[in-house]
């Protein structure tokens, strides 16, 4: 009875001597079509070009193989995958909680957080928490949510209208900018700040050098000037 004992299944393509077919459809190093050739001939060409014979389409009949530098190909593929993961956008839902009778200063602070989240390309879930008798005044929460949505309308829009959920009222704001755009802008701003700091440091160094040169020049002038003749007794 056959039993699978586990272990990883390789996703690597077969290369060189691991290819076990009588003939292959060969693609040259520059992508040119060589045609169907015996496997031995394909391996001979790979050795002649100092390249690898890589099976790129195993399900084709005959399998398609390409002449390439497999080590370089793997490295470039890994770098592309790493860059793609780096630029991958993950949608995040932030949450901000407010009270119906919030203090103006607290409101400005909370609004600042919402603005920052929207600029980052994140959604924001706004929750109004009612307590005690406040539950009988849902219009207070609704007006507060409308006010907040109007204050940040340049950065976001109402994705989910206010709705009552038990003792809370919830609204979801979505950003106008996509997460990828916000990430790109953040990287550009960071690079600009770094360049500005480097430019300021360079200007300071030039200023210090010019000051040192001026001092040295003044000292040299003073040393070179003749001494005043002594007064006649």
């Amino acid at each position: 009875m056959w039993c699978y004992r586990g272990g990883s299944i390789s996703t690597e393509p077969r290369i060189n001597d691991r290819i076990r077919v009588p003939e292959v459809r060969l693609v040259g190093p520059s992508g040119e079509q060589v045609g169907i050739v015996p496997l031995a001939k394909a391996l001979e060409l790979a050795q002649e070009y100092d390249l690898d014979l890589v099976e790129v389409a195993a399900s084709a009949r005959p399998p398609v193989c390409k002449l390439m530098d497999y080590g370089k190909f793997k490295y470039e593929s890994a770098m592309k995958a790493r860059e793609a993961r780096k630029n991958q956008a993950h949608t995040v839902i932030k949450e901000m909680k407010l009270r119906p009778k919030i203090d103006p200063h607290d409101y400005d602070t909370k609004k600042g957080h919402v603005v920052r989240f929207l600029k980052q390309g994140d959604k924001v879930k706004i929750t109004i928490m009612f307590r005690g008798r406040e539950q009988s005044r849902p219009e207070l929460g609704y007006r507060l949510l409308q006010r907040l949505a109007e204050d940040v309308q340049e950065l976001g829009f109402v994705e989910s209208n206010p709705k009552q959920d038990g003792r809370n009222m919830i609204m979801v704001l979505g950003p106008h900018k996509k997460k990828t755009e916000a990430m790109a802008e953040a990287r550009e701003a960071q690079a600009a700040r770094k360049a500005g700091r480097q430019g300021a440091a360079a200007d300071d160094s030039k200023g210090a050098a010019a000051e040192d040169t001026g001092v040295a020049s003044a000292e040299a002038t003073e040393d070179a000037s003749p001494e005043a003749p002594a007064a006649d007794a």
Side-chain angles (χ1 to χ4, degrees):
M1 180 179 179
W2 179 85
C3 178
Y4 175 64
R5 297 183 180 278
S8 60
I9 300 176
S10 175
T11 57
E12 297 277 335
R14 292 187 297 182
I15 65 172
N16 299 328
D17 295 337
R18 282 189 264 168
I19 302 173
R20 304 291 186 183
V21 291
E23 58 184 14
V24 299
R25 185 179 297 277
L26 186 62
V27 180
S30 301
E32 68 277 14
Q33 296 290 330
V34 177
I36 298 175
V37 300
L39 176 62
K41 178 63 176 178
L43 290 171
E44 182 181 334
L45 289 173
Q47 188 172 8
E48 181 180 331
Y49 283 106
D50 194 22
L51 295 172
D52 298 300
L53 181 67
V54 182
E55 190 177 56
V56 294
S59 60
R61 291 292 179 269
V64 179
C65 294
K66 184 176 181 180
L67 297 174
M68 68 173 73
D69 184 339
Y70 186 59
K72 180 180 178 182
F73 170 76
K74 284 187 66 176
Y75 173 77
E76 291 177 348
S77 298
M79 292 301 293
K80 288 179 181 179
R82 181 180 177 182
E83 189 66 21
R85 287 193 299 270
K86 181 180 177 181
N87 295 328
Q88 187 175 8
H90 298 281
T91 301
V92 178
I93 299 180
K94 305 288 187 177
E95 184 173 10
M96 189 59 56
K97 296 182 179 180
L98 293 80
R99 294 292 307 280
K101 299 178 181 179
I102 188 170
D103 179 82
H105 175 73
D106 290 340
Y107 174 81
D108 290 337
T109 301
K110 300 281 188 178
K111 184 181 72 173
H113 293 315
V114 174
V115 167
R116 177 164 54 87
F117 294 148
L118 292 174
K119 283 184 176 180
Q120 293 173 351
D122 296 322
K123 296 182 181 182
V124 188
K125 176 183 175 183
I126 312 296
T127 303
I128 304 294
M129 301 180 298
F130 296 97
R131 292 180 183 176
R133 296 180 180 179
E134 292 176 346
Q135 297 180 58
S136 62
R137 301 288 305 279
E139 69 276 6
L140 295 178
Y142 185 79
R143 284 201 295 264
L144 182 59
L145 291 176
Q146 280 189 318
R147 175 189 172 189
L148 181 58
E150 291 174 0
D151 288 345
V152 300
Q153 60 183 344
E154 292 184 0
L155 300 172
F157 62 95
V158 178
E159 185 175 285
S160 177
N161 289 317
K163 62 180 180 180
Q164 194 78 24
D165 183 16
R167 295 184 177 183
N168 300 327
M169 183 174 287
I170 297 171
M171 177 181 73
V172 178
L173 296 174
H176 289 312
K177 292 182 181 178
K178 294 182 180 179
K179 185 71 172 180
T180 51
E181 295 176 359
M183 291 171 63
E185 288 184 0
R187 285 196 295 269
E188 290 176 1
Q190 184 178 6
R193 288 194 298 269
K194 183 177 180 181
R197 289 195 297 268
Q198 291 175 345
D203 291 342
D204 291 342
S205 298
K206 290 179 180 178
E211 184 178 348
D212 292 342
T213 302
V215 171
S217 177
E219 291 177 350
T221 302
E222 183 179 347
D223 292 340
S225 61
E227 295 183 358
D232 294 336

PDB file of all heavy atoms in Angstrom, residues 137-152:
ATOM      1  N   ARG A 137     -30.455  60.220  23.160  1.00  0.00           N
ATOM      2  CA  ARG A 137     -30.167  61.362  22.280  1.00  0.00           C
ATOM      3  C   ARG A 137     -29.226  60.932  21.144  1.00  0.00           C
ATOM      4  O   ARG A 137     -28.101  61.447  21.013  1.00  0.00           O
ATOM      5  CB  ARG A 137     -29.515  62.490  23.088  1.00  0.00           C
ATOM      6  CG  ARG A 137     -30.351  63.023  24.243  1.00  0.00           C
ATOM      7  CD  ARG A 137     -31.526  63.844  23.748  1.00  0.00           C
ATOM      8  NE  ARG A 137     -31.113  64.932  22.858  1.00  0.00           N
ATOM      9  CZ  ARG A 137     -30.640  66.098  23.284  1.00  0.00           C
ATOM     10  NH1 ARG A 137     -30.487  66.337  24.583  1.00  0.00           N
ATOM     11  NH2 ARG A 137     -30.313  67.034  22.414  1.00  0.00           N
ATOM     12  N   PRO A 138     -29.642  59.992  20.300  1.00  0.00           N
ATOM     13  CA  PRO A 138     -28.760  59.528  19.217  1.00  0.00           C
ATOM     14  C   PRO A 138     -28.413  60.625  18.218  1.00  0.00           C
ATOM     15  O   PRO A 138     -27.402  60.545  17.529  1.00  0.00           O
ATOM     16  CB  PRO A 138     -29.569  58.411  18.555  1.00  0.00           C
ATOM     17  CG  PRO A 138     -30.987  58.723  18.883  1.00  0.00           C
ATOM     18  CD  PRO A 138     -30.960  59.322  20.259  1.00  0.00           C
ATOM     19  N   GLU A 139     -29.262  61.676  18.155  1.00  0.00           N
ATOM     20  CA  GLU A 139     -28.988  62.749  17.201  1.00  0.00           C
ATOM     21  C   GLU A 139     -27.687  63.478  17.533  1.00  0.00           C
ATOM     22  O   GLU A 139     -27.041  64.049  16.638  1.00  0.00           O
ATOM     23  CB  GLU A 139     -30.160  63.742  17.158  1.00  0.00           C
ATOM     24  CG  GLU A 139     -30.356  64.577  18.403  1.00  0.00           C
ATOM     25  CD  GLU A 139     -31.171  63.866  19.484  1.00  0.00           C
ATOM     26  OE1 GLU A 139     -31.483  62.669  19.293  1.00  0.00           O
ATOM     27  OE2 GLU A 139     -31.500  64.522  20.490  1.00  0.00           O
ATOM     28  N   LEU A 140     -27.267  63.447  18.810  1.00  0.00           N
ATOM     29  CA  LEU A 140     -26.000  64.080  19.185  1.00  0.00           C
ATOM     30  C   LEU A 140     -24.828  63.371  18.506  1.00  0.00           C
ATOM     31  O   LEU A 140     -23.918  64.010  17.973  1.00  0.00           O
ATOM     32  CB  LEU A 140     -25.825  64.046  20.708  1.00  0.00           C
ATOM     33  CG  LEU A 140     -26.824  64.839  21.539  1.00  0.00           C
ATOM     34  CD1 LEU A 140     -26.543  64.647  23.024  1.00  0.00           C
ATOM     35  CD2 LEU A 140     -26.760  66.313  21.174  1.00  0.00           C
ATOM     36  N   GLY A 141     -24.876  62.053  18.534  1.00  0.00           N
ATOM     37  CA  GLY A 141     -23.819  61.281  17.886  1.00  0.00           C
ATOM     38  C   GLY A 141     -23.845  61.438  16.377  1.00  0.00           C
ATOM     39  O   GLY A 141     -22.799  61.541  15.731  1.00  0.00           O
ATOM     40  N   TYR A 142     -25.064  61.481  15.819  1.00  0.00           N
ATOM     41  CA  TYR A 142     -25.182  61.610  14.372  1.00  0.00           C
ATOM     42  C   TYR A 142     -24.621  62.945  13.894  1.00  0.00           C
ATOM     43  O   TYR A 142     -23.886  63.006  12.899  1.00  0.00           O
ATOM     44  CB  TYR A 142     -26.657  61.478  13.969  1.00  0.00           C
ATOM     45  CG  TYR A 142     -26.886  61.487  12.481  1.00  0.00           C
ATOM     46  CD1 TYR A 142     -26.652  60.342  11.724  1.00  0.00           C
ATOM     47  CD2 TYR A 142     -27.311  62.643  11.833  1.00  0.00           C
ATOM     48  CE1 TYR A 142     -26.851  60.345  10.350  1.00  0.00           C
ATOM     49  CE2 TYR A 142     -27.510  62.655  10.465  1.00  0.00           C
ATOM     50  CZ  TYR A 142     -27.275  61.509   9.724  1.00  0.00           C
ATOM     51  OH  TYR A 142     -27.465  61.525   8.370  1.00  0.00           O
ATOM     52  N   ARG A 143     -24.920  64.025  14.609  1.00  0.00           N
ATOM     53  CA  ARG A 143     -24.408  65.339  14.224  1.00  0.00           C
ATOM     54  C   ARG A 143     -22.885  65.401  14.362  1.00  0.00           C
ATOM     55  O   ARG A 143     -22.204  66.015  13.539  1.00  0.00           O
ATOM     56  CB  ARG A 143     -25.063  66.423  15.073  1.00  0.00           C
ATOM     57  CG  ARG A 143     -26.494  66.743  14.682  1.00  0.00           C
ATOM     58  CD  ARG A 143     -26.915  68.110  15.181  1.00  0.00           C
ATOM     59  NE  ARG A 143     -26.934  68.147  16.648  1.00  0.00           N
ATOM     60  CZ  ARG A 143     -28.047  67.949  17.379  1.00  0.00           C
ATOM     61  NH1 ARG A 143     -29.195  67.682  16.771  1.00  0.00           N
ATOM     62  NH2 ARG A 143     -27.994  68.018  18.683  1.00  0.00           N
ATOM     63  N   LEU A 144     -22.354  64.745  15.396  1.00  0.00           N
ATOM     64  CA  LEU A 144     -20.905  64.738  15.591  1.00  0.00           C
ATOM     65  C   LEU A 144     -20.206  63.995  14.459  1.00  0.00           C
ATOM     66  O   LEU A 144     -19.166  64.435  13.944  1.00  0.00           O
ATOM     67  CB  LEU A 144     -20.568  64.089  16.935  1.00  0.00           C
ATOM     68  CG  LEU A 144     -19.090  64.047  17.320  1.00  0.00           C
ATOM     69  CD1 LEU A 144     -18.499  65.449  17.368  1.00  0.00           C
ATOM     70  CD2 LEU A 144     -18.905  63.341  18.663  1.00  0.00           C
ATOM     71  N   LEU A 145     -20.800  62.893  14.031  1.00  0.00           N
ATOM     72  CA  LEU A 145     -20.209  62.134  12.929  1.00  0.00           C
ATOM     73  C   LEU A 145     -20.283  62.925  11.626  1.00  0.00           C
ATOM     74  O   LEU A 145     -19.335  62.912  10.825  1.00  0.00           O
ATOM     75  CB  LEU A 145     -20.929  60.788  12.775  1.00  0.00           C
ATOM     76  CG  LEU A 145     -20.699  59.780  13.904  1.00  0.00           C
ATOM     77  CD1 LEU A 145     -21.538  58.526  13.675  1.00  0.00           C
ATOM     78  CD2 LEU A 145     -19.222  59.396  14.002  1.00  0.00           C
ATOM     79  N   GLN A 146     -21.410  63.599  11.395  1.00  0.00           N
ATOM     80  CA  GLN A 146     -21.530  64.431  10.199  1.00  0.00           C
ATOM     81  C   GLN A 146     -20.490  65.556  10.200  1.00  0.00           C
ATOM     82  O   GLN A 146     -19.873  65.848   9.173  1.00  0.00           O
ATOM     83  CB  GLN A 146     -22.943  65.039  10.117  1.00  0.00           C
ATOM     84  CG  GLN A 146     -23.995  64.089   9.581  1.00  0.00           C
ATOM     85  CD  GLN A 146     -25.305  64.800   9.327  1.00  0.00           C
ATOM     86  OE1 GLN A 146     -25.746  65.624  10.134  1.00  0.00           O
ATOM     87  NE2 GLN A 146     -25.935  64.508   8.186  1.00  0.00           N
ATOM     88  N   ARG A 147     -20.289  66.154  11.358  1.00  0.00           N
ATOM     89  CA  ARG A 147     -19.295  67.231  11.480  1.00  0.00           C
ATOM     90  C   ARG A 147     -17.897  66.721  11.169  1.00  0.00           C
ATOM     91  O   ARG A 147     -17.140  67.358  10.419  1.00  0.00           O
ATOM     92  CB  ARG A 147     -19.351  67.805  12.900  1.00  0.00           C
ATOM     93  CG  ARG A 147     -18.277  68.843  13.194  1.00  0.00           C
ATOM     94  CD  ARG A 147     -18.278  69.192  14.673  1.00  0.00           C
ATOM     95  NE  ARG A 147     -17.145  70.034  15.023  1.00  0.00           N
ATOM     96  CZ  ARG A 147     -16.815  70.335  16.283  1.00  0.00           C
ATOM     97  NH1 ARG A 147     -17.555  69.857  17.299  1.00  0.00           N
ATOM     98  NH2 ARG A 147     -15.760  71.096  16.523  1.00  0.00           N
ATOM     99  N   LEU A 148     -17.558  65.564  11.703  1.00  0.00           N
ATOM    100  CA  LEU A 148     -16.236  65.004  11.464  1.00  0.00           C
ATOM    101  C   LEU A 148     -16.044  64.658   9.987  1.00  0.00           C
ATOM    102  O   LEU A 148     -14.981  64.919   9.403  1.00  0.00           O
ATOM    103  CB  LEU A 148     -16.036  63.753  12.325  1.00  0.00           C
ATOM    104  CG  LEU A 148     -14.684  63.049  12.210  1.00  0.00           C
ATOM    105  CD1 LEU A 148     -13.545  64.002  12.570  1.00  0.00           C
ATOM    106  CD2 LEU A 148     -14.648  61.819  13.101  1.00  0.00           C
ATOM    107  N   ALA A 149     -17.078  64.078   9.374  1.00  0.00           N
ATOM    108  CA  ALA A 149     -16.986  63.718   7.959  1.00  0.00           C
ATOM    109  C   ALA A 149     -16.776  64.969   7.093  1.00  0.00           C
ATOM    110  O   ALA A 149     -15.999  64.941   6.126  1.00  0.00           O
ATOM    111  CB  ALA A 149     -18.256  62.985   7.529  1.00  0.00           C
ATOM    112  N   GLU A 150     -17.430  66.068   7.442  1.00  0.00           N
ATOM    113  CA  GLU A 150     -17.259  67.305   6.687  1.00  0.00           C
ATOM    114  C   GLU A 150     -15.865  67.902   6.899  1.00  0.00           C
ATOM    115  O   GLU A 150     -15.268  68.453   5.977  1.00  0.00           O
ATOM    116  CB  GLU A 150     -18.334  68.328   7.102  1.00  0.00           C
ATOM    117  CG  GLU A 150     -19.735  67.933   6.663  1.00  0.00           C
ATOM    118  CD  GLU A 150     -20.800  68.886   7.207  1.00  0.00           C
ATOM    119  OE1 GLU A 150     -20.407  69.842   7.929  1.00  0.00           O
ATOM    120  OE2 GLU A 150     -21.987  68.677   6.924  1.00  0.00           O
ATOM    121  N   ASP A 151     -15.335  67.771   8.119  1.00  0.00           N
ATOM    122  CA  ASP A 151     -14.020  68.335   8.419  1.00  0.00           C
ATOM    123  C   ASP A 151     -12.892  67.626   7.677  1.00  0.00           C
ATOM    124  O   ASP A 151     -11.828  68.221   7.450  1.00  0.00           O
ATOM    125  CB  ASP A 151     -13.748  68.279   9.926  1.00  0.00           C
ATOM    126  CG  ASP A 151     -14.580  69.292  10.695  1.00  0.00           C
ATOM    127  OD1 ASP A 151     -15.139  70.206  10.055  1.00  0.00           O
ATOM    128  OD2 ASP A 151     -14.677  69.163  11.938  1.00  0.00           O
ATOM    129  N   VAL A 152     -13.093  66.359   7.328  1.00  0.00           N
ATOM    130  CA  VAL A 152     -12.011  65.592   6.675  1.00  0.00           C
ATOM    131  C   VAL A 152     -12.394  65.191   5.257  1.00  0.00           C
ATOM    132  O   VAL A 152     -11.783  64.280   4.687  1.00  0.00           O
ATOM    133  CB  VAL A 152     -11.653  64.330   7.507  1.00  0.00           C
ATOM    134  CG1 VAL A 152     -11.179  64.710   8.891  1.00  0.00           C
ATOM    135  CG2 VAL A 152     -12.840  63.366   7.589  1.00  0.00           C
TER     136      VAL A 152
END
